[in-house]
Amino acid sequence: MRAQLRKLWESRAPRERIVIAILGAVIGVTLYWWLVQSGGRTYTQLRASVATLRVQAARLEQQATELERLRATPVPAASQSDLRTLVQAQAGAAGLSNALVKIDAPDANQVVVVFGAVAFADWLNWVASLQAQQVRLDTCKIEALSTPGMIGVTATLLRAK
């Protein structure tokens, strides 16, 4: 095969060989330039990615440290008082006792509450305060009222175990 290529090359006129050699050199230089430019762009993009990944890794380390700290913190003991009393007290402390229409306690670890009209933000804050007392939201039905930001709520709360 090599002999065939050599024979083909030598069968060309000297002028054609010079033109082919020059075109080959130009194409080679162009491909080399394109490769260097492409590598430079890729290098720049990767440097930016590395910086972003380092920031994300630092944030992940902070979150891991925080998670370890939270796992090491002892869980507060659940209140052993009557759940209905606890829920009423939390509603009063949050200023929601006027909106509390009904509160039923089917058993010692479950309470069903009905709020007529309560601000959604106040409802969320109240649920968060109950979670701090080891009371979790089991089921919830929220209805939007005609007043913006106001809702009607029927919820079942359970004592966390």
Side-chain angles (χ1 to χ4, degrees), residues 37-60:
Q37 290 298 318
S38 177
R41 271 193 310 272
T42 303
Y43 177 76
T44 304
Q45 290 172 348
L46 287 175
R47 277 185 70 118
S49 296
V50 166
T52 303
L53 289 173
R54 283 186 177 148
V55 168
Q56 290 175 350
R59 189 177 310 131
L60 184 60

Side-chain angles (χ1 to χ4, degrees), residues 25-38:
V26 167
I27 290 172
V29 168
T30 304
L31 286 175
Y32 179 76
W33 177 81
W34 175 78
L35 183 63
V36 168
Q37 290 298 318
S38 177

Side-chain angles (χ1 to χ4, degrees), residues 5-148:
L5 285 176
R6 184 174 203 88
K7 189 175 181 183
L8 181 63
W9 177 255
E10 290 175 357
S11 70
R12 301 275 177 209
R15 190 170 196 187
E16 286 180 355
R17 283 189 258 174
I18 291 172
V19 170
I20 291 172
I22 291 172
L23 284 175
V26 167
I27 290 172
V29 168
T30 304
L31 286 175
Y32 179 76
W33 177 81
W34 175 78
L35 183 63
V36 168
Q37 290 298 318
S38 177
R41 271 193 310 272
T42 303
Y43 177 76
T44 304
Q45 290 172 348
L46 287 175
R47 277 185 70 118
S49 296
V50 166
T52 303
L53 289 173
R54 283 186 177 148
V55 168
Q56 290 175 350
R59 189 177 310 131
L60 184 60
E61 285 292 326
Q62 288 174 342
Q63 290 172 350
T65 303
E66 179 67 12
L67 180 62
E68 288 176 12
R69 186 188 67 76
L70 289 174
R71 283 186 176 163
T73 338
V75 177
S79 172
Q80 296 304 316
S81 66
D82 179 38
L83 185 58
R84 179 182 176 151
T85 307
L86 177 65
V87 169
Q88 277 182 321
Q90 289 293 320
L96 301 178
S97 54
N98 292 341
L100 188 60
V101 174
K102 182 170 117 178
I103 183 167
D104 289 329
D107 63 46
N109 292 320
Q110 182 179 3
V111 172
V112 177
V113 293
V114 178
F115 287 94
V118 64
F120 185 67
D122 293 342
W123 161 254
L124 289 177
N125 291 333
W126 183 68
V127 170
S129 71
L130 286 173
Q131 286 177 343
Q133 297 291 322
Q134 304 299 313
V135 176
R136 68 179 176 88
L137 186 61
D138 184 43
T139 61
C140 181
K141 179 182 175 191
I142 298 176
E143 297 175 7
L145 301 178
S146 59
T147 307

